[in-house]
Amino acid sequence: MDIGLESMQWQLPGQLPVGDFAPVLVGVVGSGNLEVMLEPLPGTGCEVRVETSARGFRPIWDAVVADFHRRHGLAGVRVSVNDMGATPAVVSLRLDQAVAEWRSRQP
């Protein structure tokens, strides 16, 4: 029985170019929580990577990632999520928090 982390990745077309920026990190990895990092990525796509302790929830992650991308549509960015069992609502909140932090740093 495999009890390690589950890894997932999505490659999405971006609509909002973010340009160069210092990486953004929000949240903490802990029981029932997660951290999200935004980093610049060459090109115009949006790459989302998830490492989670909650195995077997790919359809839910698909929906959360699709909703995030529909609302923000970032281009040229890598979104890394390190999750320790956060609920979908907490994941969405943390993703929005990361985007808000990125926006707050823009001139």
Side-chain angles (χ1 to χ4, degrees):
M1 178 168 158
D2 188 359
I3 57 173
L5 295 176
E6 183 171 0
S7 298
M8 294 170 265
Q9 185 169 327
W10 296 260
Q11 299 290 334
L12 305 163
Q15 294 101 24
L16 175 65
V18 299
D20 193 32
F21 63 96
V24 173
L25 179 65
V26 297
V28 294
V29 178
S31 179
N33 210 333
L34 72 154
E35 69 179 10
V36 172
M37 181 182 295
L38 303 182
E39 300 172 278
L41 181 70
T44 59
C46 178
E47 177 182 290
V48 179
R49 295 180 180 179
V50 172
E51 297 281 330
T52 181
S53 63
R55 301 178 62 78
F57 291 94
R58 177 68 186 235
I60 292 171
W61 280 104
D62 287 342
V64 169
V65 169
D67 178 64
F68 168 75
H69 192 63
R70 179 186 52 76
R71 290 183 293 112
H72 298 290
L74 303 177
V77 67
R78 173 181 296 122
V79 180
S80 300
V81 177
N82 295 309
D83 171 56
M84 290 299 289
T87 66
V90 171
V91 174
S92 291
L93 266 158
R94 195 66 78 207
L95 287 165
D96 289 348
Q97 181 185 17
V99 172
E101 178 65 23
W102 166 73
R103 285 195 171 129
S104 76
R105 296 179 183 183
Q106 300 309 300

